[in-house]
Amino acid sequence: MTRKLTEEAAAEEGAGFRSGFVPLVGRPNVGKSTLLNRLVGYKVAIVSPVPQTTRNRIRGVLTLPDRGQVVFIDTPGIHKPKFRMNRRMVSLALDAMAETDVILFMVDVTQRLGPGDRFVMRQLRAAGIPTFLLLNKIDLVRKDALLPIIDAYRKEMEFAEIIPISASDGTQCEHLVDVILKHLPVGPAYFPEDYLTDQVERFLAGEFVREKLLYHTRQELPHAVAVRVESYKEEASLVRIQATILVERENQKAIVIGKQGSLLKKIGTEARLELEEQLGSKVFLELWVRVEPAWRQSERLLDELGIRAS
Ligand code: GDP
Ligand code: MG
């Protein structure tokens, strides 16, 4: 993990300024991306009703002038490995926890504590790092339903803090930030104040395309797609982006393209409009579809897509 100290950051290193890297773990769909988006006020990770859409380690940086900087790591979730890709995700997530002072373990209060949560908690206990239990989606349950839930988790492991929140309406989210800061050591800002994410815009471009793609094809190809941004060029009056949608089979390619290219066109338009809004610039987006058989198993391609085990 690079911890670059910029000049502005060094200047900010006053007394009491706290900073650290804070992984956010938990089962798919508990609301990790929603919280991250709320806290850093920027769409760094896509939010989708399909589980496991966040495949990369995306950091959001929250800087509170004079108080501190929290570098959030939205991990893909440390769930049981199935495919090779998922095994890499597990090691990525565990790796992300190695140098941290606090880990946020998020659960969904509308779901029962299950084997997936136990699996995650086993990793957390082994890591031995202070862990916050974030009980998310409290907007969906009655207050008195929380106590038995808290008890159930407490039986599994010891938590440094237990904080009920609602990532979607913001309840207790400011309090959460206060408590996180308390647990972080005094230290420098790692990124400039206006830094939103250390993934460059081209990564966002790929994510937007993937988000639209998943939205429109979720019935037919749940996870068999990836998007590779081939080029990203900022020109005088527009940003020119070329991306390839990777599918595993010919029939999936046909689905993505649609009748006379209609779906591909729709995906392209929607992604472009969103990108233009995020980038504040005109965007020219060119999309290709390519069959890469069994890309999930391909280490080479995983590397190209930025999914790395270390
Ligand atoms: P992730 O897989 O853990 O990153 O979960 P997401 O952030 O993608 O959220 C999964 C779903 O839960 C989305 O439909 C969110 O809108 C929803 N969600 C997240 N947080 C809350 C919350 O606090 N309350 C409610 N009602 N829904 C939430
Ligand atoms: Mg997510």
mmCIF file of all heavy atoms in Angstrom, residues 28-29 31-34 45-48 52-54 74-76, ligand 2:
data_model
loop_
_atom_site.group_PDB
_atom_site.id
_atom_site.type_symbol
_atom_site.label_atom_id
_atom_site.label_comp_id
_atom_site.label_asym_id
_atom_site.label_seq_id
_atom_site.Cartn_x
_atom_site.Cartn_y
_atom_site.Cartn_z
ATOM 1 N N PRO A 28 -22.078 -9.530 0.834
ATOM 2 C CA PRO A 28 -22.611 -8.712 -0.250
ATOM 3 C C PRO A 28 -24.000 -8.175 0.118
ATOM 4 O O PRO A 28 -24.754 -8.841 0.834
ATOM 5 C CB PRO A 28 -22.728 -9.695 -1.421
ATOM 6 C CG PRO A 28 -21.764 -10.790 -1.114
ATOM 7 C CD PRO A 28 -21.727 -10.889 0.390
ATOM 8 N N ASN A 29 -24.281 -6.966 -0.350
ATOM 9 C CA ASN A 29 -25.604 -6.361 -0.192
ATOM 10 C C ASN A 29 -25.936 -5.823 1.195
ATOM 11 O O ASN A 29 -27.082 -5.439 1.431
ATOM 12 C CB ASN A 29 -26.716 -7.335 -0.605
ATOM 13 C CG ASN A 29 -27.033 -7.191 -2.081
ATOM 14 O OD1 ASN A 29 -26.687 -6.182 -2.684
ATOM 15 N ND2 ASN A 29 -27.664 -8.178 -2.646
ATOM 16 N N GLY A 31 -24.704 -3.137 2.366
ATOM 17 C CA GLY A 31 -24.748 -1.675 2.250
ATOM 18 C C GLY A 31 -23.395 -0.983 2.322
ATOM 19 O O GLY A 31 -23.318 0.224 2.568
ATOM 20 N N LYS A 32 -22.327 -1.725 2.057
ATOM 21 C CA LYS A 32 -20.978 -1.158 2.152
ATOM 22 C C LYS A 32 -20.774 -0.012 1.161
ATOM 23 O O LYS A 32 -20.301 1.063 1.528
ATOM 24 C CB LYS A 32 -19.924 -2.257 1.911
ATOM 25 C CG LYS A 32 -19.992 -3.391 2.924
ATOM 26 C CD LYS A 32 -18.929 -4.443 2.657
ATOM 27 C CE LYS A 32 -19.090 -5.173 1.329
ATOM 28 N NZ LYS A 32 -20.324 -5.981 1.228
ATOM 29 N N SER A 33 -21.157 -0.251 -0.086
ATOM 30 C CA SER A 33 -20.954 0.798 -1.095
ATOM 31 C C SER A 33 -21.816 2.018 -0.792
ATOM 32 O O SER A 33 -21.381 3.159 -0.981
ATOM 33 C CB SER A 33 -21.298 0.267 -2.487
ATOM 34 O OG SER A 33 -20.515 -0.860 -2.775
ATOM 35 N N THR A 34 -23.013 1.762 -0.312
ATOM 36 C CA THR A 34 -23.910 2.876 0.015
ATOM 37 C C THR A 34 -23.280 3.767 1.087
ATOM 38 O O THR A 34 -23.293 4.994 0.987
ATOM 39 C CB THR A 34 -25.273 2.340 0.508
ATOM 40 O OG1 THR A 34 -25.775 1.409 -0.452
ATOM 41 C CG2 THR A 34 -26.274 3.462 0.700
ATOM 42 N N ALA A 45 -18.015 3.490 -5.721
ATOM 43 C CA ALA A 45 -18.284 2.067 -5.912
ATOM 44 C C ALA A 45 -19.714 1.958 -6.403
ATOM 45 O O ALA A 45 -20.582 2.693 -5.960
ATOM 46 C CB ALA A 45 -18.130 1.320 -4.597
ATOM 47 N N ILE A 46 -19.958 1.060 -7.304
ATOM 48 C CA ILE A 46 -21.305 1.009 -7.838
ATOM 49 C C ILE A 46 -22.251 0.345 -6.844
ATOM 50 O O ILE A 46 -21.879 -0.543 -6.092
ATOM 51 C CB ILE A 46 -21.371 0.311 -9.211
ATOM 52 C CG1 ILE A 46 -21.011 -1.160 -9.127
ATOM 53 C CG2 ILE A 46 -20.468 1.013 -10.188
ATOM 54 C CD1 ILE A 46 -21.171 -1.863 -10.455
ATOM 55 N N VAL A 47 -23.473 0.814 -6.817
ATOM 56 C CA VAL A 47 -24.496 0.248 -5.940
ATOM 57 C C VAL A 47 -25.487 -0.483 -6.825
ATOM 58 O O VAL A 47 -26.032 0.081 -7.751
ATOM 59 C CB VAL A 47 -25.226 1.359 -5.170
ATOM 60 C CG1 VAL A 47 -26.304 0.760 -4.284
ATOM 61 C CG2 VAL A 47 -24.242 2.146 -4.334
ATOM 62 N N SER A 48 -25.669 -1.753 -6.555
ATOM 63 C CA SER A 48 -26.539 -2.535 -7.419
ATOM 64 C C SER A 48 -27.213 -3.620 -6.608
ATOM 65 O O SER A 48 -26.664 -4.117 -5.644
ATOM 66 C CB SER A 48 -25.678 -3.148 -8.533
ATOM 67 O OG SER A 48 -26.152 -4.426 -8.859
ATOM 68 N N GLN A 52 -22.160 -8.939 -5.037
ATOM 69 C CA GLN A 52 -20.804 -9.108 -5.552
ATOM 70 C C GLN A 52 -20.482 -8.351 -6.820
ATOM 71 O O GLN A 52 -19.813 -8.854 -7.704
ATOM 72 C CB GLN A 52 -20.556 -10.580 -5.858
ATOM 73 C CG GLN A 52 -19.931 -11.277 -4.680
ATOM 74 C CD GLN A 52 -19.690 -12.717 -5.004
ATOM 75 O OE1 GLN A 52 -20.309 -13.569 -4.439
ATOM 76 N NE2 GLN A 52 -18.777 -12.983 -5.908
ATOM 77 N N THR A 53 -21.005 -7.145 -6.912
ATOM 78 C CA THR A 53 -20.655 -6.383 -8.096
ATOM 79 C C THR A 53 -19.397 -5.556 -7.880
ATOM 80 O O THR A 53 -18.844 -5.021 -8.810
ATOM 81 C CB THR A 53 -21.794 -5.447 -8.539
ATOM 82 O OG1 THR A 53 -22.176 -4.672 -7.415
ATOM 83 C CG2 THR A 53 -22.971 -6.225 -9.066
ATOM 84 N N THR A 54 -18.960 -5.459 -6.654
ATOM 85 C CA THR A 54 -17.753 -4.680 -6.398
ATOM 86 C C THR A 54 -16.560 -5.622 -6.406
ATOM 87 O O THR A 54 -16.372 -6.374 -5.468
ATOM 88 C CB THR A 54 -17.840 -3.975 -5.027
ATOM 89 O OG1 THR A 54 -19.089 -3.330 -4.939
ATOM 90 C CG2 THR A 54 -16.749 -2.964 -4.872
ATOM 91 N N ASP A 74 -13.192 -0.300 0.293
ATOM 92 C CA ASP A 74 -14.435 -1.044 0.080
ATOM 93 C C ASP A 74 -14.048 -2.408 -0.454
ATOM 94 O O ASP A 74 -13.861 -2.573 -1.645
ATOM 95 C CB ASP A 74 -15.319 -0.287 -0.908
ATOM 96 C CG ASP A 74 -16.644 -0.990 -1.134
ATOM 97 O OD1 ASP A 74 -17.081 -1.727 -0.241
ATOM 98 O OD2 ASP A 74 -17.236 -0.793 -2.202
ATOM 99 N N THR A 75 -13.875 -3.356 0.417
ATOM 100 C CA THR A 75 -13.396 -4.673 -0.019
ATOM 101 C C THR A 75 -14.515 -5.434 -0.710
ATOM 102 O O THR A 75 -15.687 -5.188 -0.492
ATOM 103 C CB THR A 75 -12.920 -5.521 1.170
ATOM 104 O OG1 THR A 75 -14.066 -5.971 1.862
ATOM 105 C CG2 THR A 75 -12.021 -4.740 2.082
ATOM 106 N N PRO A 76 -14.158 -6.385 -1.534
ATOM 107 C CA PRO A 76 -15.183 -7.155 -2.232
ATOM 108 C C PRO A 76 -15.899 -8.126 -1.289
ATOM 109 O O PRO A 76 -16.745 -8.879 -1.710
ATOM 110 C CB PRO A 76 -14.396 -7.927 -3.288
ATOM 111 C CG PRO A 76 -13.006 -7.398 -3.235
ATOM 112 C CD PRO A 76 -12.813 -6.791 -1.905
HETATM 113 MG MG MG B 2 -20.605 -2.961 -2.924
#
